[in-house]
Amino acid sequence: MNVDNIDLRLLRVFHTLAESGGFAGAQAKLGLTPSTLSIHLSNLEQRLGMTLCERGRNGFRLTEKGERVHRATKRLFHALDDFRIETASLRGRLVGELTIGLVDSTVTDSRSPIAAAINRFEQRDNEVHIRLAVDRPSGLNHALLDGRLNLAVAVFPHHVAGVEYETLYTETSLLYCGQGHPLYERIGAGLEVPDVTRYHFVARAYSLERDLAAIGQANHKASVENMEAQAHLILSGQFIGFLPEHYAAQWIAAERMRAVQPDRYRMPSDIALALPAAATRSNQLVRAFCDDLRAANAAR
């Protein structure tokens, strides 16, 4: 078929249905009623002369032809986005969407260049929708590889093939205990700290091997996926665990946490800019933001 504006609208509805896995998710994203979505889908199927999906009591499922049309639709929209970006760049304007991944609990880090980089980027002539996503390092790696993220800034304990990493700065984590923990009063009184391996230890799942090796522990009684969960367990007074210095500072100031032998239990971690190995080198948005990120980092 010859594609016109109406067909593009129908294809966007179909794309949203396929990406959302059905009518409920697409309804929330598009603000359309199920009956309107169904009409648009039927109109597209008539235009194409094929059934794109099965819908009914058994749920929503793309047909084999629907899967192929979905893949072709994604290629079409990527091409349209590339065309929009290219023509806008000829006028010196940045357009499109920039998706940035971050690891959690870095907003308290005064050395983080993210806010300053966004400030620099927003001073450029642009019509860019910025989307920030927070995830654990492994999730960020996967999102970079499958195209859901343009770039990410995080601690990456494990590097994966297909992603390039550029160290920006180093974050330091210390071992902490919370008020009520047996070590808390000993530290406050300046008493010797006994062997820490006798106490319940909470490890960060994405940094498990490093956390255990850092204190000579063979196992752990609890594990977490993010820093906030880690802080909750430490603040319970029942666990010791690692936190970045900048993140723990608020509880240190409130005398709800204390560092355990900070000269001995000190764990540096590189905060890195991560990019898909080749896919984003031609993306002007990504290049511009990375330039601003590096400049903001160098200025700190």
Side-chain angles (χ1 to χ4, degrees), residues 112-131:
S112 172
I114 293 297
I118 292 173
N119 180 284
R120 286 172 179 264
F121 186 80
E122 282 301 297
Q123 294 180 50
R124 294 176 180 266
D125 183 16
N126 81 82
E127 188 183 333
V128 177
H129 180 83
I130 297 176
R131 184 172 64 86

Side-chain angles (χ1 to χ4, degrees), residues 57-74:
R57 292 185 177 181
N58 293 327
F60 179 93
R61 186 179 69 84
L62 294 181
T63 63
E64 182 179 349
K65 290 181 179 179
E67 293 279 4
R68 295 176 65 180
V69 171
H70 182 219
R71 291 194 293 270
T73 300
K74 288 197 287 187

Side-chain angles (χ1 to χ4, degrees), residues 17-35:
L17 282 165
E19 292 290 308
S20 303
F23 285 77
Q27 182 181 357
K29 291 179 181 178
L30 297 175
L32 300 175
T33 64
S35 59

Side-chain angles (χ1 to χ4, degrees), residues 105-287:
S105 304
T106 56
V107 70
T108 53
D109 191 348
S110 62
R111 293 169 300 172
S112 172
I114 293 297
I118 292 173
N119 180 284
R120 286 172 179 264
F121 186 80
E122 282 301 297
Q123 294 180 50
R124 294 176 180 266
D125 183 16
N126 81 82
E127 188 183 333
V128 177
H129 180 83
I130 297 176
R131 184 172 64 86
L132 298 182
V134 176
D135 201 351
R136 56 183 177 171
S138 60
L140 295 175
N141 273 326
H142 287 305
L144 288 166
L145 290 172
D146 65 21
R148 287 179 288 128
L149 290 177
N150 295 123
L151 62 105
V153 177
V155 174
F156 290 97
H158 305 289
H159 290 189
V160 299
V163 177
E164 295 178 347
Y165 305 89
E166 175 185 332
T167 298
L168 297 174
Y169 65 97
T170 300
E171 173 189 81
T172 300
S173 293
L174 302 179
L175 184 65
Y176 292 96
C177 65
Q179 190 176 34
H181 192 278
L183 290 176
Y184 187 88
E185 296 302 331
R186 296 187 67 88
I187 294 169
L191 300 177
E192 182 181 351
V193 173
D195 181 10
V196 298
T197 60
R198 70 174 67 177
Y199 300 104
H200 293 329
F201 180 66
V202 52
R204 299 166 293 187
Y206 56 85
S207 184
L208 181 60
E209 296 86 356
R210 287 191 72 204
D211 283 9
L212 292 175
I215 66 167
Q217 188 78 289
N219 51 56
H220 55 295
K221 194 174 187 295
S223 58
V224 298
E225 299 291 347
N226 58 62
M227 294 299 184
E228 184 173 355
Q230 181 90 326
H232 276 298
L233 287 171
I234 295 171
L235 288 167
S236 75
Q238 296 297 318
F239 292 87
I240 58 173
F242 286 98
L243 286 174
E245 281 187 283
H246 61 83
Y247 188 56
Q250 56 191 305
W251 295 295
I252 293 290
E255 297 186 347
R256 297 183 62 195
M257 278 188 195
R258 285 176 177 158
V260 180
Q261 292 185 291
D263 292 337
R264 178 176 180 183
Y265 299 110
R266 176 176 293 269
M267 183 186 298
S269 299
D270 289 337
I271 303 292
L273 164 64
L275 293 161
T280 59
R281 288 177 183 168
S282 61
N283 188 318
Q284 187 178 12
L285 296 184
V286 176
R287 291 202 311 271

